[in-house]
Structure formats: C-alpha cells, structure tokens
Amino acid sequence: MQRVFSTKVLRSDLEERLAELGVYTRWREEGPMPREFLLEEMAKADALITGGLRIDETLLSQAKALRVVSTTSVGYDHFDIAAMRRHGVVGTHTPGVLDDTVADLAMALVLATARRIVELDGWVRQGRWTKGFDESLFGVDVHHRTMGILGMGRIGEAVARRAHYGFGMNVLYHSRSRHPHAEASVHAVYASFDELLRQSDFVVLLTPLTPATIGLMNRDAFAKMKPSAIFINVSRGKTVVEEDLFQALQSGQIRAAGLDVFVTEPTPTDNPLLSLPNVVASPHIGSATQATRDDMDRLAVDNLIAVLEGRFEDARIVPELQDLVKEL
Ligand code: NAP
C-alpha cells in the first residue's frame, strides 16, 4: 500500500487513480493549507504530487518514506536537486505536452507588445478614439523581422516554428549546445549570447531557471539590445533583474517588454514595471489552457505511478536525477 499526498486539487479521475494505490490525501478544508498539515502528511507520504512546492532539505528531512516528487510543471527550479539526491528522492516533470501552448503565449506577447494591443485597448475604452490615429500610436512589424531565442529547447523550437512559418521571421538562437534539428527545420542560426542581443528585434527568453541563468538579463544584457528591440520573458522571473529591465524600458534603451513571469509571484501591483505603458504583463499563464493543464496533470500522475511501480523508463525523471534510479 502506498500513501500519496497532493498539494493541489486534481481532476477526480486522476485522484481516483492515485487513491487506488492505497491512501490518497490532500487539504480539503477552506483556506490555504497550513504548514503543519503539510509536514504531518509529508512524514507519512511515499509520493508527493505538487505544482510548485519548494522541495528542500527542511521538507525532505521530515519525509522519511518519500520516494518520488512529481511536479505538474516542466520547470523544476523548485527542486533542490542536491537535497533530493541526498535523500534518494526521484523528481519527475512534464516535458513536451505544453510546448505549443506556451509557444502560443510567447507569440501573443510578441504581437501584443509590437502592436501595442493592451495600451491601445485602454485608449479605446477611455474614449480617446475621437478622430484619426496619429503616428505616435503606431506599432512595429513582427513579420520578416529577426527573432532571437535564448534557450532553444522544446518550447524554444515551437516558438521558432511559429516565427519562421507563420511570420517569415529570421530566427537566431543561443543555447548551451547547437540544435541541428532547429537549424534544419526552421533555418535557425546559432549566435553567441551577445550577437543574438545585438541583432534581434525580438528577444524571447526560454531557458530554465538555474544558477547559470539567474539574472541572465541584466543591465549589461539590455545595453546590448537595439533601442527598437522588444524583450519577452516566458521562462522564470528570476532570469531577469527587474530593476535593470525597468531602467532599460524607461530610458528608451529598449522599446517594450512582454512578461509572463516575475521575480515575486503574484507580483505586487506596485511593481514599477506595471507602471509602464510599454510593458504587457500576464500572470504566469504560459501553459494555462484547460486541455494542456489536464495533459500536464495526467502526465504527472503517470510519472508518479511509474516510479512507485519501478518502471523508471516510463517516467519523465528530471535529467539531473536520472542516474539516481540505478541506485534504487
Ligand atoms: P528545455 O527543452 O530543457 O529547453 C531549455 C533550453 O535552455 C535548452 O535549449 C538549454 O540548452 C537552454 N539553456 C539551459 N541553460 C542555459 C544557459 N545557461 N544558457 C543558454 N541556454 C541555456 O525546456 P523547455 O521545456 O523548453 O522549457 C523551458 C523553460 O520554460 C522551463 O524550464 C520553464 O522555466 C519555462 N516555462 C515557463 C512556462 C510559463 O508558464 N511561463 C511554462 C512552461 C515552461 P541546451 O539545449 O544546450 O541544453
């Protein structure tokens, strides 16, 4: 008999599958789950399913029976990999099933910032559309411009396809390694980080949050971009130094930004970035369609069951912990 604990509500058919393993628990009362309840459940759980709970030494030291943490996201920067390794806890995630949905959101931010959709929506609603429309309200073209993708992974390639086939854009990319498939399929051209920033009309950030990418987009990076360029962040908020982005936007060093993610989430309404008309903000909704969230939850449940049943090859184990299963 296995005990599965969830920090989030799942669809009833998924909860039934987890209940069939033995005991399935989650917080069912009104209001937020108290920390004491979490720690009590963690002390008994064999498996945890979660959306973004920080899995660190404090939590793992309470969780003596825990064998697997299954996150319902592709990003797993909430996993303390070293601590999970020490405790022999496998981590799984949900790559692949959300790529097109997140790529659609990236393109929505590209279009919204370039054509000033949100700003001009406000202009219409405020009754300011009284006569003609002067050039101070014009936007910039997206089609046939250059898009630079930082992080040509699964989602990066889905964005590149849209840019190339949908908008006739030139695609530059920068990653830790070359991606021959993207180079062949969408004629994406590899560039150094600096070269990509210098040449791109749209810089789309799609790296994971890691020690190497924290604050990747900072004052120096924004200074390398064209004054006409637009920055889009769909990765994680901490890949950007928000104060530096604010300065770059306010001073006209770059033209606009589309942001789905923020350093603090939910971001406070007094975040200076939200005071700028050339910022389009969305509340971390990259994968937030019903169909895709259902697919992610289903994959997370499949992953969890596969690990508990010892079918490690069927589970999407995060790359840094894949060797752990050999020791289990
Ligand atoms: P992925 O397939 O692992 O792609 C990540 C890419 O980033 C890879 O190409 C990788 O390079 C590159 N990269 C990693 N570290 C780098 C560095 N230091 N410098 C340059 N490039 C680096 O991941 P994915 O599935 O596309 O997801 C990417 C990220 O998007 C997730 O980790 C998550 O944070 C974010 N995300 C956000 C939302 C949202 O709602 N806004 C939704 C889903 C995902 P190599 O190929 O060379 O290894």
Side-chain angles (χ1 to χ4, degrees), residues 169-184:
M169 298 178 87
N170 305 312
V171 178
L172 300 178
Y173 78 97
H174 178 74
S175 278
R176 291 172 302 189
S177 55
R178 296 285 288 260
H179 286 253
H181 184 261
E183 293 184 16

Side-chain angles (χ1 to χ4, degrees), residues 74 152-155 175-177 179 206 208 234 236 260 284 286:
V74 66
M152 182 60 94
R154 291 170 290 256
I155 302 170
S175 278
R176 291 172 302 189
S177 55
H179 286 253
L206 271 165
V234 195
R236 287 288 184 264
D260 187 44
H284 201 147

Side-chain angles (χ1 to χ4, degrees), residues 73-77 93-96 98-99 102 105 150-157 173-179 190 193 205-213 216 233-236 239 260-261 265 283-288 293 296 319:
S73 57
V74 66
Y76 50 91
D77 41 280
H93 68 147
T94 64
L98 70 177
D99 301 347
V102 182
L105 192 269
L150 288 171
M152 182 60 94
R154 291 170 290 256
I155 302 170
E157 199 167 326
Y173 78 97
H174 178 74
S175 278
R176 291 172 302 189
S177 55
R178 296 285 288 260
H179 286 253
Y190 186 84
F193 180 68
L205 183 53
L206 271 165
T207 60
L209 179 67
T210 67
T213 62
L216 183 69
N233 190 10
V234 195
S235 63
R236 287 288 184 264
T239 51
D260 187 44
V261 285
E265 294 183 359
H284 201 147
I285 56 165
S287 63
R293 285 290 172 87
M296 292 161 75

Side-chain angles (χ1 to χ4, degrees), residues 178-201:
R178 296 285 288 260
H179 286 253
H181 184 261
E183 293 184 16
S185 61
V186 299
H187 309 293
V189 174
Y190 186 84
S192 69
F193 180 68
D194 286 3
E195 208 45 46
L196 182 145
L197 295 177
R198 281 196 198 98
Q199 289 187 27
S200 299
D201 299 304

Side-chain angles (χ1 to χ4, degrees), residues 4 8 25 29 34-35 46 67 69 109 137-138 144-145 155 160 176 237 264 279-280 297 302 327:
V4 180
K8 60 183 283 189
T25 52
E29 309 296 321
R35 181 85 182 162
D46 296 289
R67 290 164 56 200
V69 178
L109 291 173
L137 299 173
F138 286 178
H144 299 101
R145 295 300 179 100
I155 302 170
R176 291 172 302 189
T264 302
V279 167
V280 173
D297 286 353
D302 289 347
E327 299 159 24

